[in-house]
Amino acid sequence: MSKQVDTILTGGTVVTMNEHYDIFTGGAIAIKDDAIVAVGPSEEIASLYEAEETVDCANQVIIPGLVNAHTHIPMTLFRGLNDDLRLDVWLGYLMPLEREFVTPEFVKLGARLACAEMIRSGITAFADMYYFEEAIAEETAAIGMRALLGQTVLVFPAPDAETYEDALVRCRRFIEGWNGHPLIQPAVAPHAWYTGTPEMDRACADLARAYDVPIHTHVSETQLEANNCRQQHHMDVVSWIGSHGLLETKLL
Ligand SMILES: [Zn+2]
């Protein structure tokens, strides 16, 4: 007897990420509630399952959701401002703009736009780092995407915190509010070595370890940054942040 499912996607080329990386030409997927219950050749799925809705996927490829591994999603609203500049010069323009305009409403609006664009591109999960991350979490969870969301910590005054100590308080509150959520993984996000201090890095590492959450940070984004770290600290960026305990965390 056939088992009842909600939806069957059938007749497409199904690319799996199972342990054999199977690809089924003329394959099908059976879905019930929010889970894939079976993947295989179309005839096999048709013989085992009955669905309320069957979608013909002929000439289509069905792939697992893509993961965007590094984002600042509300910055979609800054798109086009000062393009094509060196990162350090660009940040000189962007950081004052962020302090002026970034609010919980701003990040929610930007997050909504970014999530719509990501979904359109086949992305179902992303790793973010920004300000007012709790507002981004609310928006992301309501949309139904999965995300690792890092609350930014840096030594300069930020849109949501005057000091890094304030940022750490926000970050702890964010972790406590969202840890264990089925879609959202909260994280600590020390922005970069050059916007932090050894004390700040250590405090971030301590917080991440205390709640067993990941760290999301920038490491060696540019040649200039890598050179500066060697000049100032006589070691590469990975060694420098490692000397503050960041490598002993779940680091992204
Ligand atoms: Zn970044």
Side-chain angles (χ1 to χ4, degrees):
M1 207 182 108
S2 304
K3 284 187 197 141
Q4 188 68 35
V5 292
D6 300 326
T7 308
I8 291 178
L9 308 177
T10 190
T13 299
V14 180
V15 179
T16 74
M17 283 288 147
N18 66 18
E19 55 184 356
H20 307 297
Y21 295 102
D22 284 326
I23 296 176
F24 299 102
T25 309
I29 297 178
I31 302 160
K32 187 165 173 55
D33 299 324
D34 61 354
I36 291 172
V37 295
V39 178
S42 289
E43 308 79 54
E44 186 184 310
I45 298 297
S47 69
L48 295 171
Y49 297 95
E50 212 164 89
E52 277 171 32
E53 184 191 20
T54 299
V55 181
D56 179 7
C57 296
N59 303 316
Q60 309 287 326
V61 177
I62 306 166
I63 62 171
L66 300 174
V67 178
N68 189 338
H70 185 80
T71 64
H72 311 281
I73 59 170
M75 294 184 81
T76 45
L77 298 185
F78 288 129
R79 182 179 289 148
L81 283 177
N82 298 313
D83 277 350
D84 302 326
L85 293 178
R86 246 170 45 192
L87 177 65
D88 56 313
V89 177
W90 180 78
L91 284 175
Y93 284 107
L94 253 291
M95 283 182 156
L97 271 178
E98 286 179 321
R99 279 195 289 274
E100 182 72 26
F101 294 110
V102 172
T103 61
E105 292 70 33
F106 178 102
V107 304
K108 276 195 165 196
L109 200 60
R112 209 175 306 161
L113 172 61
C115 285
E117 290 180 348
M118 285 193 282
I119 290 166
R120 205 163 176 228
S121 307
I123 295 163
T124 57
F126 60 96
D128 193 66
M129 172 203 292
Y130 210 57
Y131 309 106
F132 300 108
E133 205 68 39
E134 70 287 347
I136 299 172
E138 277 171 33
E139 207 59 33
T140 303
I143 287 165
M145 291 183 80
R146 283 189 301 131
L148 181 151
L149 302 179
Q151 170 63 36
T152 297
V153 182
L154 74 176
V155 284
F156 306 119
D160 61 354
E162 278 303 307
T163 66
Y164 85 78
E165 288 92 346
D166 292 347
L168 283 164
V169 169
R170 284 195 75 90
C171 193
R172 181 183 295 272
R173 210 181 309 140
F174 172 57
I175 293 166
E176 287 176 350
W178 287 88
N179 217 4
H181 190 278
L183 295 173
I184 305 298
Q185 169 63 64
V188 186
H191 171 263
W193 72 268
Y194 60 88
T195 52
T197 62
E199 296 71 36
M200 189 195 95
D201 282 352
R202 281 191 202 99
C204 286
D206 288 346
L207 182 61
R209 275 196 301 267
Y211 288 87
D212 193 29
V213 296
I215 294 256
H216 188 187
T217 191
H218 294 104
V219 179
S220 301
E221 279 189 288
T222 64
Q223 188 65 58
L224 178 71
E225 176 198 331
N227 293 346
N228 286 348
C229 189
R230 274 202 199 85
Q231 249 172 25
Q232 289 173 35
H233 304 302
H234 310 290
M235 58 178 93
D236 59 70
V237 177
V238 172
S239 303
W240 174 248
I241 65 169
S243 69
H244 311 148
L246 288 187
L247 301 185
E248 288 138 46
T249 64
K250 296 190 279 193
L251 185 70
L252 178 65

